[in-house]
Amino acid sequence: MAQATFNEEGLYQAIADFSTGWYASADRPARILDLCAATGLCTLRVSERVPVASATLVDCDSRVLDCAARRLAAIAPVETHTGDAVTFSSSVPYDLILANSAYHHIPDHRKIDFLRTACSVVAEDGAILLGEHFLPPYKSKPEFRASVQSFYGQMVDELERRGEEAQAVDVIRRSALYCWLGEYEFKVSWSVFLRHCASARLQVERAQKIWEPYGGHGTGAGTVAVWLRPRGQPVLRC
Ligand SMILES: C[S@@+](CC[C@H](N)C(=O)[O-])C[C@H]1O[C@@H](n2cnc3c(N)ncnc32)[C@H](O)[C@@H]1O
């Protein structure tokens, strides 16, 4: 249900739009790798917009992957890997690496390795497409907690204002608590994310803001779809 809220829906749409940008330039069916794929919704949305040669889905929960495999069976050959997305490796490259609502589930000390993993398996002209929520900037633990409170407070207000399902709003409230406690939800600010990208030798090709909290303008805070490419990869023309 939380995946059906306006900003999650915005992320699926933006990632699907980015994938059409990649396809316009590459002109071949995509080999998709979906990291932290859950039930495969992101791959499904991309497959509605670009031809898919294969879909490889990674998640640490085998039950969601079973559901994803059933959901995607008619679309393309599907491979599922139950395990840790951070240590995933492959001898074949992927054209589109999807990581929607994935990076914030990876603990901070493993985030750079997560991005490096994506970088290590992306095709030479491939794209890494993330959907994320970034906190307002902070410089200390107390500021981090204030940032979490401000971000989620405004997000919950926005969800209620739009009349989203009460159960979905409850899930977001629970996420706020997890994030505040530093358990299971490890959201960071846009500037921390950019530092992690630089360490993983990735750069931002495009970013699309879906929603931002009050005062978030210019800070990167909010719900953002991001197209990353390895540093030094030729810029795509599309
Ligand atoms: C919010 S869901 C992802 C949603 C999905 N990408 C989509 O677009 O619909 C987060 C998923 O990350 C998975 N996960 C968390 N940590 C992981 C890890 N280290 N390796 C693989 N999967 C992980 C969880 O099992 C969960 O299914």
Side-chain angles (χ1 to χ4, degrees):
M1 240 174 225
Q3 293 305 114
T5 52
F6 83 96
N7 53 337
E8 296 295 341
E9 174 56 27
L11 287 175
Y12 289 126
Q13 278 182 28
I15 288 173
D17 287 347
F18 285 163
S19 69
T20 62
W22 170 82
Y23 181 65
S25 166
D27 195 24
R28 64 173 185 274
R31 295 162 294 180
I32 292 178
L33 172 65
D34 193 339
L35 297 173
C36 302
T39 57
L41 282 175
C42 196
T43 293
L44 179 72
R45 295 298 289 269
V46 168
S47 75
E48 289 164 358
R49 303 284 297 280
V50 303
V52 177
S54 64
T56 302
L57 293 94
V58 183
D59 201 286
C60 55
D61 183 342
S62 63
R63 292 162 307 170
V64 290
L65 286 179
D66 289 345
C67 171
R70 281 196 299 277
R71 171 171 274 156
L72 299 168
I75 287 159
V78 178
E79 220 179 274
T80 57
H81 288 269
T82 304
D84 184 7
V86 179
T87 55
F88 177 79
S89 65
S90 167
S91 55
V92 291
Y94 297 93
D95 301 308
L96 293 177
I97 299 189
L98 312 179
N100 186 41
S101 290
Y103 169 84
H104 69 252
H105 283 290
I106 306 297
D108 291 357
H109 69 283
R110 306 188 72 213
K111 279 178 162 55
I112 295 171
D113 284 339
F114 176 72
L115 294 172
R116 282 187 179 137
T117 291
C119 190
S120 71
V121 293
V122 70
E124 217 178 331
D125 62 351
I128 300 168
L129 308 179
L130 266 77
E132 260 311 319
H133 308 276
F134 296 105
L135 299 173
Y138 48 85
K139 289 202 185 85
S140 61
K141 186 83 178 191
E143 279 186 23
F144 169 80
R145 290 191 155 173
S147 169
V148 172
Q149 275 177 300
S150 163
F151 176 87
Y152 278 102
Q154 293 185 63
M155 165 96 60
V156 165
D157 285 349
E158 181 76 42
L159 294 170
E160 287 180 335
R161 196 180 62 75
R162 289 172 180 256
E164 301 278 7
E165 293 281 348
Q167 272 175 282
V169 180
D170 277 349
V171 170
I172 307 299
R173 279 205 187 89
R174 241 190 343 264
S175 302
L177 179 61
Y178 286 137
C179 193
W180 195 84
L181 292 169
E183 290 170 9
Y184 191 62
E185 289 271 338
F186 310 103
K187 290 190 170 71
V188 296
S189 65
W190 174 251
S191 60
V192 169
F193 170 68
L194 289 184
R195 281 208 301 277
H196 290 167
C197 288
S199 297
R201 301 196 58 75
L202 288 168
Q203 66 186 66
V204 175
E205 168 90 4
R206 290 191 211 165
Q208 185 180 326
K209 188 68 84 72
I210 311 293
W211 171 81
E212 69 181 8
Y214 178 74
H217 193 67
T219 67
T223 302
V224 190
V226 193
W227 176 339
L228 296 173
R229 65 185 171 90
R231 241 192 268 159
Q233 183 193 66
V235 177
L236 288 173
R237 259 184 260 287
C238 52

